[in-house]
């Protein structure tokens, strides 16, 4: 009788599955030309003189320089990293940051408008560090703007970068070009909103977002 050699089954050791590395945070920097403060200061002085305002008094001598630096600050958003995290728990309810302070400059008169923004989203595969909602708002607000465009830019950018199920942005602001000149409608505010994804198409989600921002649905 032919004997078959004894065979031993060798089990492969457990090999841990490789984790998918987290994507590197997107470094967000405002794309603008280099600021020439000296030229801005000269132009500010000429602007004041053209309006019949003398910069000879001691209290006014530094005004052109202060004007230049003030507008440079208003038009210079701080760079930041768009930090996101995996939505491991599958959280699918609204994330909302309310009453984020807003300041920007009206592109028609270069006068400021100030107010608050409410920014929310329905998470998809990733969630966003909460402070980044304020950073995104600052990124688009620190430039000559109109409120309608600002509202849509913030919403569209978050929709593209985060790929959530929905995004909502509401901005309420007071415009100096309306309250200090022209109509001089002191205390008047302007409200704008942009809703994307489920926050636009799903009635329940839309009503919840608007209710939490204090707006009628």
């Amino acid at each position: 009788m032919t004997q078959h050699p004894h065979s031993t089954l060798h089990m492969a050791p457990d090999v841990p599955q490789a984790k998918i590395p987290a994507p590197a945070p997107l470094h967000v920097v405002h794309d603008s030309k280099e600021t020439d403060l000296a030229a801005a200061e000269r132009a500010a002085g000429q602007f004041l003189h053209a309006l019949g305002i003398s910069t000879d008094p001691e209290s006014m001598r530094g005004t052109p320089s202060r004007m230049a630096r003030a507008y440079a600050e208003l038009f210079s958003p701080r760079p930041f990293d768009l930090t996101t995290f995996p939505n491991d728990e599958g959280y699918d309810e609204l994330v909302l940051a309310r009453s984020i302070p807003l300041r920007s400059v009206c592109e028609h008169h270069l006068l400021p408008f100030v107010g608050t923004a409410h920014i929310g989203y329905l998470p998809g595969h990733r969630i966003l560090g909460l402070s980044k909602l304020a950073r995104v708002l600052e990124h688009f607000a620190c430039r000559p703007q109109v409120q309608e465009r600002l509202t849509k830019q913030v919403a569209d950018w978050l929709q593209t970068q985060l790929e959530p199920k929905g995004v909502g942005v509401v901005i309420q602001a007071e415009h100096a070009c309306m309250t200090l000149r022209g109509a001089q409608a002191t205390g008047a505010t302007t409200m704008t909103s942009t809703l994307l994804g489920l926050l636009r198409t799903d009635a329940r989600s839309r009503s919840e977002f608007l209710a939490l921002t204090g707006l009628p649905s």
Side-chain angles (χ1 to χ4, degrees):
M1 179 180 295
T2 303
Q3 292 185 349
H4 296 282
H6 178 70
S7 61
T8 303
L9 181 62
H10 295 280
M11 301 295 291
D14 291 336
V15 178
Q17 293 184 348
K19 292 184 178 180
I20 300 175
L26 175 67
H27 188 61
V28 183
V29 179
H30 180 47
D31 184 16
S32 62
K33 295 181 179 179
E34 186 175 350
T35 300
D36 188 341
L37 284 176
E41 181 179 344
R42 291 192 296 271
Q46 294 170 357
F47 173 75
L48 292 171
H49 295 158
L51 292 177
I53 300 173
S54 173
T55 58
D56 292 334
E58 182 179 349
S59 61
M60 290 287 293
R61 289 172 194 165
T63 297
S65 175
R66 289 188 289 268
M67 283 180 60
R69 286 185 278 111
Y71 274 98
E73 180 179 340
L74 288 172
F75 297 149
S76 301
R78 294 168 293 178
F80 69 97
D81 291 331
L82 189 73
T83 309
T84 64
F85 307 94
N87 186 11
D88 293 332
E89 288 74 26
Y91 186 81
D92 60 359
E93 296 295 332
L94 181 66
V95 177
L96 175 65
R98 294 183 52 185
S99 302
I100 304 172
L102 162 71
R103 62 160 175 78
S104 190
V105 175
C106 166
E107 69 178 29
H108 301 142
H109 301 94
L110 286 189
L111 290 173
F113 63 92
V114 297
T116 56
H118 312 298
I119 305 176
Y121 71 98
L122 291 170
H125 296 298
R126 299 190 69 81
I127 56 177
L128 183 66
L130 288 178
S131 67
K132 307 310 177 186
L133 294 173
R135 293 286 200 173
V136 173
L137 177 66
E138 177 188 314
H139 176 75
F140 287 103
C142 286
R143 63 191 71 181
Q145 269 289 12
V146 295
Q147 184 174 328
E148 297 88 341
R149 182 198 302 130
L150 172 61
T151 308
K152 192 170 189 305
Q153 283 178 332
V154 172
D156 287 345
W157 197 84
L158 286 172
Q159 183 69 37
T160 299
Q161 299 297 330
L162 198 57
E163 297 183 347
K165 297 175 182 177
V167 173
V169 179
V170 173
I171 292 177
Q172 183 174 5
E174 182 173 317
H175 293 248
C177 61
M178 182 179 179
T179 60
L180 299 183
R181 56 158 300 281
Q184 298 185 23
T186 304
T189 59
T190 299
M191 187 87 70
T192 52
S193 66
T194 296
L195 304 178
L196 302 176
L198 288 178
L199 291 183
R200 182 181 184 92
T201 61
D202 180 69
R204 186 191 71 84
S205 298
R206 182 174 63 252
S207 295
E208 179 185 13
F209 174 78
L210 294 176
L212 290 175
T213 58
L215 294 176
S217 57

